[in-house]
Amino acid sequence: EVQLVQSGAEVKKPGESLKISCKGSGYSFTSYWIGWVRQVPGKGLEWMGIIYPGDSDTRYRPSFQGQVTISADKSISTAYLQWSSLKASDTAMYYCARIMSIFDYYGDSWGQGTLVTVSS
Amino acid sequence: EIVLTQSPGTLSLSPGERATLSCRASQSVSSSYLAWYQQKPGQAPRLLIYGASSRATGIPDRFSGSGSGTDFTLTISRLEPEDFAVYYCQQYGSSQTFGQGTKVEIK
C-alpha cells in the first residue's frame, strides 16, 4: 500500500525557519515525483512545486520560486519543504502528494497534511 | 494560466440523488488533462478521476467524469452518505491549476 506520512503540526514565529517532511513507503520512492500543495484555511488548493527523488530534479511554480525550498533524501524515502524566513501569510495546511509523471501531474496518493501556523 | 471555474458553488442534494458538477476552463485543456478530487473536512484530497474520465484505483463506479476542451463534468450517479464533501477539478495540460471547489451538502 502506498503511504505518505507527513511530520506533525508546527507553530512558528515570523522570521523563523522551518522544514517539514513527507516519508513515502509501499512503492519505489525514486520512480515517482513528489509534489507539495498549499491550502490556506477555508480556501482552495495550490501546487507549489515538485521533486523527482531519483535525481533531485526540482520544479517550482513561479509564485513559490525563491520562497520555499523543496528537497529529498532518497536514502530514507523522504521529501522536504522548507522556509528560511516564515511570514504570517505562510499559515496553511501543506500536503505532499505522489505524482505519476511530469506529464500526468496529478496526485494519486496524498499525505495527511502538516498544519503550519505562523504567528507572533 | 488556465483558470478553472467550478459550478455550482454549493449543491444541496439528498442521498440517492444524482449530482452533476461542472468545471469550465478559460482555455482548452490539452489532451483532456483534467483530474477530479474529493476532500472531506479534516482530510487530504483523494483522487477520483484523471484524464477527464478514468477512475482512479478503488473509486466506485458511481463516480464518472466526462468532457473535453473547456467543459468537464463530474457525475455521481447516486449519492451515498459518504459522498458529501468538497470536490475540486485540476488541469495539468498547461502548468497546473485547481478550480475553487464545489461543496456537495445534504439537503
Side-chain angles (χ1 to χ4, degrees), chain A residues 103-106, chain B residues 32-35 50-51 90-96:
Chain A
F103 299 107
D104 292 317
Y105 195 133
Y106 56 84
Chain B
S32 294
Y33 282 159
L34 189 109
Y50 62 93
Q90 179 223 319
Q91 66 81 22
Y92 49 101
S94 172
S95 189
Q96 304 79 31

Side-chain angles (χ1 to χ4, degrees), chain B residues 4 9 11 13 17 26 28 32 34-35 37 39 41-43 48-49 51 65 68-69 84 86 103:
Chain B
L4 299 179
L11 199 51
L13 295 168
E17 289 193 293
S26 59
S28 183
S32 294
L34 189 109
Y37 302 88
Q39 187 177 33
Q43 296 186 19
L48 300 175
I49 301 285
S68 63
F84 292 91
V86 178
K103 182 179 181 180

